Amino acid sequence: MEAHFTEWLNLGIRWIHMITGIAWIGASFYFVWLENNLNRSNPREGLSGDLWAIHGGGIYHLEKYKLAPPKMPENLHWFKWEAYFTWLSGVALLLVVYYLNPSLYLVKPGVDLAPAAAIAIGLGSMALSYVIYHFLCDSPLGKRPALLGAVLFVLIIAAAYGFSQIFSGRAAYIHVGAIIGTIMVGNVFFTIMPAQRALVKAIETNTTPDPLLPAKGLLRSRHNNYFTLPVLFIMISNHFPSTYGSQYNWAVLAGIAILAVLVRHYFNTRHDSSKYVWTLPAAALGMICLAYVTSPAQRAPAAAPVAAVEQPSSAATAKVEEPSPAAPAEQAASTNGTPAANAGASDFAKVESVIHERCTVCHSASPTSPMFSAAPAGLMLDTPEQMKAQAAKIHAQTVASQIMPLGNITQMTQDERDLIGSWIAEGAQIN
């Protein structure tokens, strides 16, 4: 029942996180689009532009004031709760998925790090990152946006590298996302909202607004805009082990982040000209290159176990010298000097035993692990046929990226991974 409850708790929080995240990022995308598409030719007095639009069977007329209307409206909508609830639900999801089972999901297998220390690093990094970011934005770097962006990128990727040394691949990526999300919501809470409140108050009291606060708010809002696509990738990255499971997962994340920023920049600037249209094919080519460099290296079949190459016993020798009449094809192949079709194949009985011992405690119709009430992702490995059908996924998770078993809780050895890799390389035969 505990595993069942945790699964539904995970689902509920994840759903809330997704809903609020869509609302926050959707509003951000919409207002950037709106700003870029305002008609600024001959606006009426007090306006910087307007836009006519049709949607859902209705026609809308939107106007943007240079500063504000002569009199503030009675009802003014503030866009803030989308950001706050996205961050709160994200932190709750971090607690449920990673911090309730830090030894399993958070700490990298083989790393000697106490669960409490790992959690402290995770939470501390979020707070420290915002402090560093805030300091850099208020420093002279804040007046040089391109250089500031480059410095922030280097620091974020440095954090990704550091996380990859102590956290599991998925946890490392998620904590980078948590850092960026904390910076984004911090921008809303500590800079953007105070700037907007100060603007409204100045208009209501008929005083001159402080131009410094809106300038800071604009810079932070621009950062949030460019952060969105990398964060969206991180939100779905746990489905793609070839990224977070790579030996150089931090570099893969850096590559995808660069491509995401390029794409975002095109959509931010396409209203002015098409000079950045090259970023779209460049991003597509970049993704193809990343897919290539992260593909599993062609590995030679693992060396046979010592027992398999030792001098066979007399009984085994007799069996080889006098093969059963029931296998004429194999006899013929051996007689002609050609190896039998599966003579070099890994022993499936051993592979099956390893999978049952290391994998099906979770990936089964009836998991024996107390952590799961149903097979994760619906992937079951109870029968040889299921093992063969899922051979590609088994290779990706246990051989190429070695992210499974989770936290290596079942203590799968490298020899066992090599055995599975050889079996799959030889065709994943089960007969």
Side-chain angles (χ1 to χ4, degrees):
M1 286 302 294
E2 181 181 349
H4 182 73
F5 173 76
T6 302
E7 180 180 354
W8 278 88
L9 182 62
N10 185 335
L11 170 62
I13 297 174
R14 193 179 297 270
W15 199 358
I16 293 171
H17 187 54
M18 183 182 70
I19 292 169
T20 54
I22 289 172
W24 183 14
I25 294 174
S28 172
F29 279 16
Y30 173 71
F31 277 102
V32 169
W33 177 89
L34 178 61
E35 179 68 24
N36 290 341
N37 287 275
L38 287 174
N39 180 5
R40 302 179 188 275
S41 60
N42 300 318
R44 68 180 177 86
E45 187 178 354
L47 294 184
S48 61
D50 67 343
L51 175 76
W52 289 87
I54 183 169
H55 181 76
I59 297 176
Y60 297 81
H61 185 207
L62 299 100
E63 298 177 325
K64 180 184 178 182
Y65 286 83
K66 289 181 179 178
L67 185 60
K71 182 181 179 181
M72 291 300 297
E74 204 171 308
N75 295 312
L76 183 64
H77 183 78
W78 297 76
F79 287 86
K80 56 182 179 178
W81 295 110
E82 301 89 342
Y84 299 160
F85 278 109
T86 298
W87 186 80
L88 289 171
S89 58
V91 171
L93 195 59
L94 193 67
L95 295 174
V96 170
V97 176
Y98 292 95
Y99 293 169
L100 285 184
N101 292 290
S103 299
L104 182 64
Y105 291 100
L106 181 60
V107 180
K108 185 177 183 178
V111 173
D112 185 17
L113 183 64
I119 294 172
I121 290 172
L123 293 175
S125 65
M126 294 162 60
L128 180 61
S129 296
Y130 178 75
V131 171
I132 294 173
Y133 166 83
H134 186 76
F135 170 79
L136 290 175
C137 287
D138 284 348
S139 74
L141 270 178
K143 297 179 181 179
R144 304 179 66 183
L147 181 58
L148 175 59
V151 171
L152 292 175
F153 174 79
V154 170
L155 291 177
I156 289 172
I157 298 306
Y161 176 79
F163 286 146
S164 71
Q165 305 305 302
I166 58 174
F167 291 164
S168 69
R170 289 199 299 183
Y173 271 31
I174 290 299
H175 277 80
V176 173
I179 282 178
I180 297 175
T182 299
I183 290 173
M184 292 174 71
V185 78
N187 283 341
V188 174
F189 187 81
F190 292 110
T191 304
I192 297 173
M193 291 305 299
Q196 292 178 346
R197 291 192 189 98
L199 175 63
V200 170
K201 183 176 180 180
I203 295 168
E204 290 176 339
T205 57
N206 197 26
T207 58
T208 302
D210 181 0
L212 185 61
L213 290 177
K216 286 184 176 181
L218 178 61
L219 176 67
R220 307 300 180 90
S221 181
R222 185 177 294 123
H223 287 170
N224 282 4
N225 175 261
Y226 281 98
F227 280 143
T228 51
L229 293 188
V231 167
L232 283 175
F233 161 72
I234 291 172
M235 288 176 69
I236 64 172
S237 65
N238 65 327
H239 296 287
F240 304 99
S242 59
T243 59
Y244 67 82
S246 169
Q247 180 182 358
Y248 302 104
N249 50 16
W250 59 273
V252 174
L253 180 59
I256 291 178
I258 291 173
L259 300 179
V261 168
L262 286 176
V263 171
R264 184 69 257 174
H265 189 62
Y266 164 72
F267 283 104
N268 285 343
T269 59
R270 65 176 181 168
H271 63 287
D272 282 337
S273 69
S274 297
K275 67 178 182 178
Y276 292 107
V277 70
W278 60 268
T279 61
L280 298 182
L285 180 61
M287 290 296 285
I288 293 172
C289 292
L290 285 174
Y292 175 76
V293 299
T294 57
S295 62
Q298 296 298 322
R299 301 166 68 178
V306 175
V309 296
E310 290 176 351
Q311 185 67 29
S313 65
S314 58
T317 304
K319 196 169 187 177
V320 171
E321 292 174 350
E322 299 181 23
S324 167
E330 286 83 347
Q331 292 182 53
S334 298
T335 303
N336 295 333
T338 304
N342 61 354
S346 299
D347 187 346
F348 175 66
K350 294 179 181 178
V351 172
E352 185 178 23
S353 175
V354 169
I355 292 176
H356 277 309
E357 183 177 358
R358 309 301 190 191
C359 308
T360 55
V361 292
C362 301
H363 292 285
S364 170
S366 301
T368 57
S369 169
M371 297 182 300
F372 299 102
S373 58
L379 191 149
M380 292 176 281
L381 303 172
D382 294 307
T383 68
E385 290 74 20
Q386 290 173 332
M387 296 175 192
K388 180 178 177 65
Q390 301 295 342
K393 289 185 178 180
I394 294 173
H395 185 277
Q397 301 273 10
T398 65
V399 181
S401 64
Q402 299 195 4
I403 59 173
M404 289 290 173
L406 280 173
N408 203 17
I409 191 172
T410 56
Q411 301 299 305
M412 179 179 281
T413 67
Q414 186 59 50
D415 286 343
E416 291 170 339
R417 297 181 193 275
D418 291 341
L419 176 67
I420 292 174
S422 295
W423 168 66
I424 294 172
E426 293 164 2
Q429 299 300 318
I430 60 176
N431 296 323

Coordinates of all heavy atoms in Angstrom, one line a residue, residues 302-310 343-360 381 384 387 394 412-413 415-424 426 429-431:
A302 N 31.8 -9.4 -24.9 CA 32.5 -9.6 -23.6 C 33.3 -10.9 -23.6 O 32.8 -11.9 -24.2 CB 31.6 -9.5 -22.5
A303 N 34.4 -10.9 -22.9 CA 35.1 -12.2 -22.8 C 34.3 -13.2 -22.1 O 33.6 -13.0 -21.2 CB 36.4 -11.9 -22.0
A304 N 34.5 -14.4 -22.6 CA 33.7 -15.5 -22.0 C 34.1 -15.8 -20.6 O 35.3 -15.6 -20.3 CB 33.9 -16.8 -22.9
P305 N 33.2 -16.2 -19.7 CA 33.6 -16.5 -18.4 C 34.7 -17.6 -18.3 O 34.8 -18.4 -19.2 CB 32.3 -17.0 -17.8 CG 31.2 -16.4 -18.6 CD 31.8 -16.3 -20.0
V306 N 35.5 -17.5 -17.3 CA 36.7 -18.4 -17.2 C 36.2 -19.8 -17.3 O 36.8 -20.7 -18.0 CB 37.4 -18.2 -15.9 CG1 38.5 -19.2 -15.7 CG2 38.0 -16.8 -15.8
A307 N 35.1 -20.2 -16.7 CA 34.6 -21.6 -16.7 C 34.4 -22.1 -18.1 O 34.5 -23.2 -18.4 CB 33.4 -21.7 -15.8
A308 N 34.0 -21.1 -19.0 CA 33.6 -21.6 -20.4 C 34.9 -21.9 -21.2 O 34.8 -22.6 -22.2 CB 32.9 -20.4 -21.0
V309 N 36.1 -21.4 -20.8 CA 37.2 -21.6 -21.6 C 38.2 -22.6 -21.0 O 39.2 -23.0 -21.5 CB 38.0 -20.3 -21.9 CG1 37.1 -19.4 -22.7 CG2 38.4 -19.6 -20.6
E310 N 37.8 -23.1 -19.8 CA 38.7 -24.1 -19.1 C 38.5 -25.4 -19.8 O 37.6 -25.7 -20.5 CB 38.3 -24.2 -17.7 CG 38.7 -23.0 -16.9 CD 38.2 -23.1 -15.4 OE1 37.4 -24.0 -15.2 OE2 38.6 -22.3 -14.6
A343 N 26.6 -21.3 -32.0 CA 27.7 -21.9 -31.2 C 28.4 -20.8 -30.3 O 28.8 -21.1 -29.3 CB 28.7 -22.5 -32.1
G344 N 28.4 -19.6 -30.8 CA 29.1 -18.5 -30.0 C 28.2 -17.7 -29.2 O 28.6 -16.7 -28.6
A345 N 26.9 -18.0 -29.2 CA 25.9 -17.2 -28.5 C 26.1 -17.3 -27.0 O 26.5 -18.4 -26.5 CB 24.5 -17.6 -28.9
S346 N 25.8 -16.3 -26.3 CA 25.9 -16.3 -24.8 C 24.9 -17.3 -24.3 O 23.8 -17.5 -24.9 CB 25.6 -14.9 -24.3 OG 26.6 -14.0 -24.7
D347 N 25.1 -17.8 -23.2 CA 24.2 -18.8 -22.6 C 23.0 -18.1 -22.1 O 23.0 -17.3 -21.1 CB 25.0 -19.5 -21.4 CG 24.2 -20.6 -20.8 OD1 23.0 -20.7 -21.1 OD2 24.7 -21.4 -20.1
F348 N 21.8 -18.2 -22.8 CA 20.6 -17.5 -22.4 C 20.2 -17.9 -21.0 O 19.6 -17.1 -20.3 CB 19.5 -17.7 -23.4 CG 18.2 -17.1 -22.9 CD1 18.1 -15.7 -22.9 CD2 17.1 -17.9 -22.5 CE1 17.0 -15.1 -22.4 CE2 16.0 -17.3 -22.1 CZ 15.9 -15.9 -22.1
A349 N 20.4 -19.1 -20.6 CA 20.0 -19.5 -19.2 C 20.7 -18.6 -18.2 O 20.0 -18.2 -17.2 CB 20.4 -21.0 -19.0
K350 N 21.9 -18.2 -18.4 CA 22.6 -17.3 -17.5 C 22.1 -15.9 -17.6 O 21.9 -15.3 -16.6 CB 24.1 -17.3 -17.8 CG 24.8 -18.7 -17.5 CD 26.3 -18.6 -17.9 CE 27.0 -19.9 -17.7 NZ 28.4 -19.8 -18.0
V351 N 21.8 -15.5 -18.8 CA 21.2 -14.2 -19.0 C 19.8 -14.1 -18.3 O 19.5 -13.1 -17.6 CB 21.0 -13.8 -20.5 CG1 20.3 -12.5 -20.7 CG2 22.4 -13.7 -21.2
E352 N 19.0 -15.1 -18.5 CA 17.7 -15.1 -17.9 C 17.8 -15.1 -16.4 O 17.0 -14.4 -15.7 CB 16.9 -16.4 -18.3 CG 15.5 -16.4 -17.9 CD 14.8 -17.7 -18.4 OE1 15.5 -18.6 -18.7 OE2 13.5 -17.6 -18.4
S353 N 18.8 -15.8 -15.8 CA 19.0 -15.8 -14.4 C 19.3 -14.4 -13.9 O 18.8 -14.0 -12.9 CB 20.0 -16.8 -14.0 OG 20.3 -16.8 -12.6
V354 N 20.2 -13.7 -14.6 CA 20.6 -12.4 -14.2 C 19.5 -11.4 -14.2 O 19.2 -10.6 -13.3 CB 21.8 -11.9 -15.1 CG1 22.0 -10.4 -14.9 CG2 23.0 -12.7 -14.9
I355 N 18.7 -11.5 -15.3 CA 17.5 -10.6 -15.4 C 16.5 -10.8 -14.3 O 16.0 -9.9 -13.8 CB 16.9 -10.7 -16.8 CG1 17.9 -10.2 -17.9 CG2 15.6 -9.9 -16.9 CD1 17.4 -10.3 -19.3
H356 N 16.3 -12.1 -14.1 CA 15.3 -12.4 -13.0 C 15.8 -11.9 -11.6 O 15.0 -11.4 -10.8 CB 15.0 -13.9 -12.9 CG 14.0 -14.4 -13.9 ND1 12.8 -13.8 -14.1 CD2 14.1 -15.4 -14.8 CE1 12.1 -14.4 -15.0 NE2 12.9 -15.4 -15.5
E357 N 17.1 -12.1 -11.4 CA 17.7 -11.7 -10.1 C 17.8 -10.2 -10.0 O 17.6 -9.6 -8.9 CB 19.0 -12.4 -9.9 CG 19.7 -12.1 -8.6 CD 21.0 -12.8 -8.4 OE1 21.4 -13.6 -9.3 OE2 21.6 -12.6 -7.3
R358 N 18.2 -9.5 -11.0 CA 18.5 -8.1 -10.9 C 17.4 -7.1 -11.4 O 17.4 -6.0 -11.0 CB 19.8 -7.8 -11.8 CG 21.0 -8.7 -11.5 CD 21.4 -8.6 -10.1 NE 22.7 -9.3 -9.9 CZ 23.2 -9.6 -8.8 NH1 22.6 -9.3 -7.6 NH2 24.4 -10.2 -8.7
C359 N 16.5 -7.6 -12.3 CA 15.6 -6.7 -12.9 C 14.1 -7.0 -12.6 O 13.3 -6.0 -12.4 CB 15.7 -6.8 -14.5 SG 17.4 -6.5 -15.0
T360 N 13.7 -8.2 -12.5 CA 12.3 -8.5 -12.4 C 11.7 -8.3 -11.0 O 10.6 -8.5 -10.7 CB 11.9 -9.9 -12.9 OG1 12.7 -10.9 -12.2 CG2 12.2 -10.1 -14.4
L381 N 9.5 -8.2 -17.5 CA 10.5 -9.1 -18.0 C 10.4 -10.5 -17.3 O 11.4 -11.1 -16.9 CB 11.9 -8.5 -17.7 CG 12.2 -7.1 -18.3 CD1 13.5 -6.6 -17.7 CD2 12.2 -7.2 -19.8
P384 N 11.0 -15.2 -21.3 CA 12.0 -15.1 -22.3 C 11.5 -14.2 -23.4 O 12.3 -13.4 -24.0 CB 12.3 -16.5 -22.7 CG 12.0 -17.3 -21.5 CD 10.8 -16.7 -20.9
M387 N 11.7 -10.6 -22.5 CA 13.1 -10.2 -22.5 C 13.6 -9.9 -23.9 O 14.3 -8.9 -24.1 CB 14.0 -11.3 -21.8 CG 13.6 -11.5 -20.4 SD 14.6 -12.9 -19.6 CE 13.7 -13.1 -18.1
I394 N 16.6 -2.9 -22.6 CA 17.5 -3.5 -21.7 C 18.9 -3.0 -21.9 O 19.6 -2.6 -21.0 CB 17.4 -5.0 -21.7 CG1 16.0 -5.5 -21.2 CG2 18.5 -5.6 -20.8 CD1 15.8 -7.0 -21.4
M412 N 23.9 -5.3 -9.6 CA 24.3 -5.9 -10.8 C 25.8 -5.6 -11.1 O 26.2 -4.5 -10.9 CB 23.5 -5.4 -12.0 CG 23.9 -5.9 -13.3 SD 22.8 -5.3 -14.7 CE 21.4 -6.3 -14.5
T413 N 26.5 -6.6 -11.4 CA 28.0 -6.5 -11.6 C 28.3 -6.1 -13.1 O 27.4 -6.3 -14.0 CB 28.7 -7.8 -11.3 OG1 28.3 -8.8 -12.2 CG2 28.3 -8.3 -9.8
D415 N 30.3 -7.7 -15.0 CA 30.4 -9.0 -15.7 C 28.9 -9.3 -16.2 O 28.7 -9.8 -17.3 CB 30.9 -10.1 -14.9 CG 32.4 -10.0 -14.7 OD1 33.0 -9.3 -15.5 OD2 33.0 -10.7 -13.8
E416 N 28.0 -9.1 -15.3 CA 26.6 -9.4 -15.7 C 26.1 -8.4 -16.8 O 25.4 -8.9 -17.7 CB 25.7 -9.3 -14.5 CG 25.9 -10.4 -13.5 CD 25.2 -10.2 -12.1 OE1 24.9 -9.0 -11.8 OE2 25.0 -11.2 -11.4
R417 N 26.5 -7.2 -16.7 CA 26.1 -6.3 -17.8 C 26.8 -6.7 -19.1 O 26.2 -6.6 -20.2 CB 26.6 -4.8 -17.4 CG 25.8 -4.3 -16.2 CD 26.3 -2.9 -15.9 NE 25.9 -2.4 -14.5 CZ 24.7 -1.9 -14.3 NH1 23.8 -1.8 -15.2 NH2 24.4 -1.6 -13.0
D418 N 28.0 -7.1 -19.1 CA 28.7 -7.5 -20.3 C 28.1 -8.8 -20.8 O 28.0 -8.9 -22.1 CB 30.2 -7.8 -19.9 CG 31.0 -6.6 -19.6 OD1 30.5 -5.5 -20.0 OD2 32.1 -6.7 -19.0
L419 N 27.6 -9.7 -20.0 CA 26.9 -10.9 -20.4 C 25.7 -10.5 -21.2 O 25.4 -11.1 -22.3 CB 26.6 -11.8 -19.2 CG 25.8 -13.1 -19.5 CD1 26.6 -14.0 -20.3 CD2 25.3 -13.7 -18.2
I420 N 24.9 -9.6 -20.6 CA 23.6 -9.2 -21.3 C 24.0 -8.5 -22.6 O 23.3 -8.7 -23.6 CB 22.8 -8.3 -20.4 CG1 22.3 -9.1 -19.2 CG2 21.7 -7.6 -21.1 CD1 21.6 -8.2 -18.1
G421 N 25.0 -7.6 -22.6 CA 25.4 -7.0 -23.8 C 25.8 -7.9 -24.9 O 25.4 -7.7 -26.1
S422 N 26.5 -9.0 -24.6 CA 26.9 -10.0 -25.6 C 25.7 -10.7 -26.1 O 25.6 -10.9 -27.3 CB 27.9 -11.0 -24.9 OG 29.1 -10.3 -24.6
W423 N 24.8 -11.0 -25.2 CA 23.6 -11.7 -25.6 C 22.8 -10.9 -26.6 O 22.3 -11.4 -27.7 CB 22.7 -12.1 -24.4 CG 21.4 -12.5 -24.7 CD1 21.0 -13.7 -25.3 CD2 20.1 -11.9 -24.4 NE1 19.6 -13.8 -25.4 CE2 19.1 -12.7 -24.8 CE3 19.8 -10.7 -23.8 CZ2 17.7 -12.3 -24.7 CZ3 18.5 -10.3 -23.6 CH2 17.5 -11.1 -24.1
I424 N 22.7 -9.6 -26.4 CA 21.9 -8.7 -27.2 C 22.7 -8.6 -28.6 O 22.1 -8.6 -29.6 CB 21.6 -7.4 -26.6 CG1 20.7 -7.6 -25.4 CG2 21.0 -6.4 -27.5 CD1 20.5 -6.4 -24.5
E426 N 24.5 -10.6 -30.1 CA 24.4 -11.8 -30.8 C 23.0 -12.1 -31.3 O 22.8 -13.3 -31.7 CB 25.0 -12.9 -30.0 CG 26.6 -12.7 -29.8 CD 27.1 -13.6 -28.7 OE1 26.3 -14.4 -28.1 OE2 28.3 -13.5 -28.4
Q429 N 19.0 -14.2 -28.7 CA 18.3 -15.5 -28.9 C 17.9 -16.1 -27.6 O 18.6 -16.0 -26.6 CB 19.3 -16.5 -29.6 CG 19.8 -16.1 -30.9 CD 18.7 -15.9 -31.9 OE1 17.8 -16.7 -32.0 NE2 18.7 -14.8 -32.7
I430 N 16.7 -16.7 -27.6 CA 16.1 -17.3 -26.4 C 15.9 -18.8 -26.5 O 15.5 -19.4 -25.6 CB 14.8 -16.6 -26.0 CG1 13.8 -16.8 -27.1 CG2 15.0 -15.1 -25.7 CD1 12.4 -16.2 -26.7
N431 N 16.3 -19.3 -27.6 CA 16.1 -20.8 -27.8 C 17.4 -21.5 -27.6 O 18.4 -21.1 -28.1 CB 15.6 -21.1 -29.3 CG 14.2 -20.5 -29.5 OD1 13.4 -20.4 -28.6 ND2 14.0 -19.9 -30.7

